[in-house]
Amino acid sequence: MAMMTMRRAVALGARHIPAAATASSRVVPLRHMSADAGAAMEKIRAAGLLRTQGLIAGKWVDAYDGKTIEVQNPATGEVLANVPCMGSRETSDAIASAHSTFYSWSKLTASERSKALRKWYDLIISHKEELALLMTLEQGKPMKEALGEVNYGASFIEYFAEEAKRIYGDIIPPTLSDRRLLVLKQPVGVVGAITPWNFPLAMITRKVGPALACGCTVVVKPSEFTPLTALAAADLALQAGIPAGALNVVMGNAPEIGDALLQSTQVRKITFTGSTAVGKKLMAGSANTVKKVSLELGGNAPCIVFDDADIDVAVKGSLAAKFRNSGQTCVCANRILVQEGIYEKFATAFIKAVQSLKVGNGLEESTSQGPLINEAAVQKVEKFINDATSKGANVMLGGKRHSLGMSFYEPTVVGNVSNDMLLFREEVFGPVAPLIPFKTEEEAVHMANDTNAGLAAYIFTKSIPRSWRVSESLEYGLVGVNEGIISTEVAPFGGVKQSGLGREGSKYGIDEYLELKYICMGNLG
């Protein structure tokens, strides 16, 4: 792929970069913030976790040309800080640092790497409140969810600290008596990790944990919307003894950073979480240097509620699967399919549950629904709602911007949704729950599988035979049965079809960062 074509391709994944500010205006004075945000920032600063520079070779650095970008609080529009707007030169230096450090880091014993990761885990847990505050400020999710993400993100570091000592090879029975056949597992090398804004800690630790555990080194590009959590986590990694250069963080000009990672022959793997469209471009761009690629891409999760489901369990599970992070997760229930026999009963109970969701600033204890990440996200939700209503759907609850303003949107339930609507075909990535009736189990499975996506699916039923039949029939990498929150560090996370390649988490996740080496030892007779 030609340079300019690839540059345009990677730009598809880039976010709007605000006009550059001067490097000297790095942190906004507290007097310009609301009292709650100011107090939170003061607590984060007192803990030493407000980092606003990139990390290259163990040093905190500005963009080489001095340009910065603003990090805003989506709940208020307040500017939290300015961070470097980095590009190809900084990324090339980060890659060189990671490549140089790889030779020493990969030669450490598994036990030594494990101990460093365990210290990192301990530091994350000891600073979980500050990390959660930082996440709520720059991403918008409620504090309860942010604390949950810190625990979830830290669990990957803990798990892979343990798994580092369990990377086993094989001895193969030889075909000749004077030979010995060995298989070793070795780290792939430098990893380029591109992570999204919706889980600014967990999407990093889920990639960096296994990479460091097996001896790889990493260059992380976090979202320009949520870099502060990534930088704080990287600071704690340094404190834990992860050596300079093993973990680097660059952010800013997404096309330039992406090009540098894709074109470098020293980067041997790309791992990405984000949209399917961008994942395809990264996959194509990795072909020139034949990199390993793992992709966790978009979803279009069905949530199937059968007649024999426990209504209370189904409502609770569907609510959790749909409205976590205000609907901004790749495994959120995107289509709620309800069997006709209980459709009205379920709809009534579900709407009542949605009405109880409290929308507000994530720093407020009572808040269960924060803002969407930005104005573009709100406009996308509005587009999907307008498309649905123009084709016969009816808004049963919500359906408009919240009175709080900014990027807040009312939790919404839409009925009479059909398969020709955007709400059925594409990921809404917002607090909108489409309800779709069905008659038979076969029809539900067909509707659920009628998509190019294949990440997560959910079913609610009391029938054990049906739970097996439907789970095995669904073309998805993850299936929750009578449960709306299914992600865990000990199970493989990933999709089929156009929802991605590879798996993250669990014992399977570390294989994504390893190469197999076969050694034939002869003349041993």
Side-chain angles (χ1 to χ4, degrees), residues 45 67 112 229 290 307 312 341 358 398 420:
R45 184 182 288 110
K67 291 181 179 179
E112 289 173 307
T229 303
V290 195
D307 280 346
D312 291 338
K358 173 68 163 52
D420 63 336

Side-chain angles (χ1 to χ4, degrees), residues 6-265:
M6 193 63 242
R7 187 175 299 277
R8 292 194 189 101
V10 177
L12 290 173
R15 304 297 184 181
H16 171 68
I17 299 176
T22 61
S24 61
S25 59
R26 184 162 301 285
V27 179
V28 175
L30 298 183
R31 65 178 180 274
H32 292 167
M33 292 185 180
S34 64
D36 288 346
M41 287 293 280
E42 186 56 48
K43 189 167 188 176
I44 295 162
R45 184 182 288 110
L49 293 180
L50 186 59
R51 290 291 183 178
T52 57
Q53 295 172 292
L55 180 63
I56 299 175
K59 297 180 180 178
W60 298 101
V61 297
D62 293 322
Y64 295 164
D65 60 7
K67 291 181 179 179
T68 63
I69 51 178
E70 293 179 345
V71 180
Q72 295 183 346
N73 181 342
T76 65
E78 296 166 326
V79 177
L80 301 171
N82 294 298
V83 297
C85 183
M86 294 174 158
S88 58
R89 287 192 298 151
E90 295 89 345
T91 306
S92 294
D93 286 349
I95 293 169
S97 170
H99 185 255
S100 175
T101 307
F102 172 72
Y103 293 99
S104 56
W105 177 248
S106 62
K107 294 300 184 291
L108 294 179
T109 66
S111 178
E112 289 173 307
R113 292 196 299 271
S114 175
K115 288 175 182 176
L117 286 168
R118 179 67 202 197
K119 289 180 182 177
W120 190 17
Y121 163 79
D122 290 338
L123 286 170
I124 291 173
I125 293 300
S126 67
H127 290 286
K128 64 181 179 181
E129 185 175 353
E130 294 91 350
L131 289 169
L133 283 169
L134 193 52
M135 198 182 305
T136 293
L137 286 171
E138 66 173 349
Q139 198 276 335
K141 66 179 60 179
M143 268 295 290
K144 183 178 179 180
E145 284 194 27
L147 285 166
E149 182 179 341
V150 175
N151 287 325
Y152 176 58
S155 72
F156 289 102
I157 303 302
E158 180 185 37
Y159 181 86
F160 286 109
E162 299 163 350
E163 203 66 16
K165 297 179 285 187
R166 303 188 185 104
I167 301 173
Y168 304 135
D170 284 303
I171 298 177
I172 300 173
T175 54
L176 298 173
S177 61
D178 65 343
R179 293 184 180 179
R180 297 296 180 269
L181 311 181
L182 312 177
V183 176
L184 302 181
K185 291 184 178 181
Q186 295 183 312
V188 65
V190 177
V191 175
I194 303 173
T195 61
W197 50 262
N198 57 341
F199 288 92
L201 178 66
M203 296 302 96
I204 291 174
T205 57
R206 201 163 73 181
K207 300 175 187 299
V208 173
L212 292 178
C214 66
C216 295
T217 53
V218 191
V219 177
V220 175
K221 190 207 93 58
S223 167
E224 286 68 47
F225 293 155
T226 56
L228 301 179
T229 303
L231 295 171
D235 189 13
L236 294 176
L238 289 179
Q239 294 179 37
I242 304 295
L247 175 59
N248 304 271
V249 183
V250 293
M251 74 230 81
N253 189 318
E256 285 194 15
I257 293 171
D259 280 346
L261 291 172
L262 292 172
Q263 293 163 12
S264 172
T265 57

